[in-house]
């Protein structure tokens, strides 16, 4: 099997193949990943049986971790959206902030809603509310739309249980540190959201909106579920996962709590609670339809992450770990530059093919074989790797990203104005995440 510089060049070529296949040849990213698996395995002279076993094992191992989580998370998201629970949360936060803080309110609303609901759906759902808050608070509608878009985008790439961060954790072997990753993700989101609000206000004040081509559905407050019912499917799973992480950190042995705090169990409980969001006038067929929609949404995510797992399995079967391990060693500087490298790789992939989740999956599969050589031992090491990859996957959203067009169409922005504002904002946010990651890494290494 090839090693050394030829191996590195072929790995780079396999990444280029993924980009070309998905961007230029318009193949689904899953097919591009599988094509890259065969290309890399055959060109590095991997035995056929090793190649096939590596692909199937990589696919299966990642599905075993992320499969149920994605399905249950999709159930929570669809039921929150369809029942109006997400809108109830949005109204409550806006009421708490008051008229003078409309931009901060809509940014926080986006951040909260995007944890269980995907960016595209969240923006469609909340764009009408954003325009109303802009009028009431006498703010620029463009600034409000940009604040909402960046709020949704931040937690989408940084905070589990959204699929991207979950897939990264699973790929690099950090699934048992999910609670820590959630806490780091929330911590990083706070300054990134503040920066997004500041820049949205500055960039949006000079943009004149056209009439949005598509309007979000109008819902009245009396139709929406109670706040506690809306929040419970989101907050309880996060609380359980975080509590499990805390008890393990403190060395507290509690089998029942550790079982309930497992991400699969915690998010399943959230999905069960989401079922109760069905209104009194809803029928069993309504609930069944929403559940079916959630399964349909989770399907493409699962095959994409599974394809990334297959590609990661092939990478792990190459001599990459032994070759690069000599360079990395186990020192802090090695880890520092690896964080920079995975940020750049994720940013290049995101900018080239448009999907944040795909960029995170592929980058994590490249990092996974190197983890043993890095000597990472603490949950924070793994969490910062997830943050670096998530920050790269923010950088940048432009014409090839479906979310870019959702922001443009529902936000009433022209493509040119969206590119000059939202694309720039996503770049600034991504770089901010990298800076925060490197600062945190330096501080942890110092102490």
């Amino acid at each position: 099997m090839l090693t050394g510089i030829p191996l590195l060049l072929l790995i780079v070529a396999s990444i280029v193949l993924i980009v070309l296949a998905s961007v230029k040849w318009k193949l689904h990213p899953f097919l591009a990943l599988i094509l890259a698996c065969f290309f890399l395995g055959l060109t590095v002279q991997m035995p056929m049986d090793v190649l096939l076993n590596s692909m199937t094992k990589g696919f299966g191992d990642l599905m075993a971790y992320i499969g149920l989580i994605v399905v249950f998370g999709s159930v929570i998201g669809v039921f929150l959206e369809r029942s109006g629970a997400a809108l109830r949360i949005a109204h409550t936060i806006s009421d708490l902030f008051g008229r003078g803080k409309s931009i901060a309110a809509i940014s926080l609303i986006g951040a909260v809603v995007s944890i269980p609901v995907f960016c595209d759906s969240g923006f469609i759902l909340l764009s009408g509310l954003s325009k109303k808050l802009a009028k009431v608070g006498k703010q620029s509608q463009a600034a409000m739309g940009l604040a909402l878009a960046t709020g949704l985008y931040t937690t989408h790439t940084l905070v589990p249980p959204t699929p991207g961060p979950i897939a990264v954790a699973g790929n690099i072997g950090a699934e048992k540190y999910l609670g820590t990753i959630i806490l780091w993700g929330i911590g990083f989101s706070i300054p990134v959201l503040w920066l997004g609000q500041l820049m949205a206000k500055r960039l949006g004040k000079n943009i004149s909106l056209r009439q949005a081509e598509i309007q979000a559905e109008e819902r009245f407050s009396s139709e929406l579920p109670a706040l506690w019912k809306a929040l419970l499917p989101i907050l309880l799973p996060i609380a359980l996962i975080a509590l499990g992480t805390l008890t393990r950190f403190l060395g507290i042995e509690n089998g029942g709590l550790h079982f309930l705090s497992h991400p699969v169990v915690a998010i399943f409980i959230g999905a069960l609670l989401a079922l109760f969001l069905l209104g009194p006038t809803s029928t069993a067929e309504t609930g069944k339809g929403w559940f079916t929609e959630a399964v349909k949404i989770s399907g493409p995510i699962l095959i994409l992450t599974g394809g990334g797992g297959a590609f990661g399995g092939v990478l792990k079967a190459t001599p990459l770990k032994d070759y690069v391990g000599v360079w990395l060693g186990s020192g802090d500087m090695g880890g520092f530059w690896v964080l920079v490298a995975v940020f750049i790789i994720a940013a290049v992939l995101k900018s080239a093919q448009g999907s944040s989740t795909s960029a995170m999956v592929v980058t994590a599969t490249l990092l996974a074989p190197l983890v043993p050589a890095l000597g990472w031992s603490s949950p924070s090491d793994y969490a910062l790797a997830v943050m670096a990859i998530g920050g790269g996957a923010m950088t940048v959203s432009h014409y090839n990203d479906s979310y870019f067009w959702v922001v443009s169409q529902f936000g009433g922005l022209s493509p040119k104005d969206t590119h000059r504002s939202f694309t720039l904002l996503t770049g600034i946010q991504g770089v901010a995440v990298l800076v925060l990651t490197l600062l945190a890494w330096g501080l942890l290494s110092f102490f």
Side-chain angles (χ1 to χ4, degrees):
M1 199 181 301
L2 293 181
T3 187
I5 298 299
L7 172 62
L8 295 180
L9 292 175
L10 286 169
I11 289 174
V12 171
S14 66
I15 298 171
V16 172
L17 177 61
I18 293 170
V19 174
L20 286 175
S22 56
V23 175
K24 188 174 181 60
W25 305 334
K26 307 300 180 183
L27 288 181
H28 190 280
F30 173 76
L31 294 176
L33 286 163
I34 298 302
L35 186 63
C37 288
F38 283 111
F39 170 81
L40 181 61
L42 294 175
T43 54
V44 301
Q45 301 171 14
M46 186 179 294
M48 294 291 186
D49 58 336
V50 174
L51 171 58
L52 294 175
N53 288 336
S54 300
M55 287 176 60
T56 54
K57 187 176 186 302
F59 184 95
D61 286 350
L62 192 55
M63 284 298 96
Y65 166 63
I66 197 175
L68 291 174
I69 291 176
V70 169
V71 174
F72 298 151
S74 296
V75 170
I76 294 172
V78 168
F79 274 72
L80 283 173
E81 179 186 349
R82 294 301 186 195
S83 67
L87 204 53
R88 168 62 73 192
I89 296 169
H91 281 299
T92 302
I93 294 176
S94 66
D95 290 342
L96 286 173
F97 272 72
R99 295 185 179 185
K101 301 290 184 179
S102 298
I103 289 179
I106 201 66
S107 176
L108 180 59
I109 288 167
V112 172
V113 169
S114 192
I115 294 175
V117 177
F118 297 110
C119 279
D120 302 54
S121 298
F123 195 90
I124 293 168
L125 178 72
L126 298 172
S127 58
L129 176 65
S130 171
K131 293 180 176 65
K132 289 182 181 178
L133 285 176
K135 291 179 181 178
V136 171
K138 297 181 179 179
Q139 300 284 349
S140 160
Q141 287 192 20
M144 291 288 288
L146 291 171
L148 172 61
T150 53
L152 289 158
Y153 200 51
T154 300
T155 51
H156 176 73
T157 52
L158 296 181
V159 183
T162 47
I166 286 279
V168 173
N171 260 320
I172 67 175
E175 56 270 14
K176 60 184 177 181
Y177 305 130
L178 195 58
T180 303
I181 295 169
I182 290 174
L183 294 175
W184 275 101
I186 293 173
F188 273 39
S189 294
I190 293 170
V192 174
L193 287 171
W194 174 81
L195 181 61
Q197 295 164 22
L198 185 69
M199 294 303 299
K201 192 171 185 179
R202 179 171 298 180
L203 293 170
K205 64 182 180 181
N206 297 321
I207 297 176
S208 299
L209 295 187
R210 58 173 171 74
Q211 182 65 32
E213 294 181 8
I214 310 171
Q215 296 294 334
E217 180 184 354
E218 181 102 12
R219 301 195 69 152
F220 297 100
S221 181
S222 59
E223 301 173 346
L224 305 178
L227 179 63
W228 67 270
K229 288 181 72 175
L231 286 172
L232 206 55
I234 307 173
L235 296 185
L236 185 59
I238 292 176
L240 285 172
I241 293 170
L243 184 59
T245 299
L246 179 62
T247 56
R248 279 187 286 271
F249 176 77
L250 297 174
I252 300 172
E253 295 295 331
N254 188 317
L257 178 58
H258 289 176
F259 173 76
L260 291 174
S261 65
H262 189 284
V264 171
V265 178
I267 297 173
F268 175 61
I269 292 172
L272 290 177
L273 292 171
L275 299 180
F276 290 97
L277 291 171
L278 281 167
T281 59
S282 299
T283 64
E285 287 300 315
T286 302
K288 185 178 178 181
W290 292 359
F291 189 87
T292 301
E293 182 181 347
V295 172
K296 288 180 179 178
I297 288 172
S298 62
I301 298 165
L302 290 175
I303 64 168
L304 174 60
T305 53
F311 185 56
V314 175
L315 281 171
K316 290 176 185 178
T318 68
L320 176 66
K321 177 180 67 176
D322 299 329
Y323 176 72
V324 181
V326 176
W327 169 65
L328 292 176
S330 58
D332 293 330
M333 187 56 69
F336 178 93
W337 288 112
V338 166
L339 293 178
V340 175
V342 295
F343 172 88
I344 293 172
I345 292 169
V348 169
L349 288 169
K350 163 64 179 179
S351 299
Q353 49 79 46
S355 169
S356 294
T357 302
S358 177
M360 296 180 78
V361 168
V362 175
T363 306
T365 60
L366 293 169
L367 175 62
L370 310 182
V371 169
L374 289 167
W376 290 346
S377 56
S378 75
S380 293
D381 293 336
Y382 290 92
L384 290 176
V386 177
M387 296 301 104
I389 294 173
M394 286 183 178
T395 317
V396 290
S397 175
H398 62 97
Y399 296 112
N400 63 356
D401 183 2
S402 63
Y403 187 49
F404 173 94
W405 293 106
V406 168
V407 172
S408 173
Q409 296 300 302
F410 282 84
L413 296 166
S414 69
K416 182 179 179 181
D417 283 335
T418 309
H419 191 265
R420 292 191 304 181
S421 56
F422 180 62
T423 300
L424 176 61
L425 264 170
T426 59
I428 292 171
Q429 284 188 299
V431 172
V433 172
L434 175 62
V435 171
L436 290 170
T437 302
L438 297 180
L439 285 174
W441 182 270
L443 288 172
L444 290 174
S445 301
F446 180 78
F447 291 107

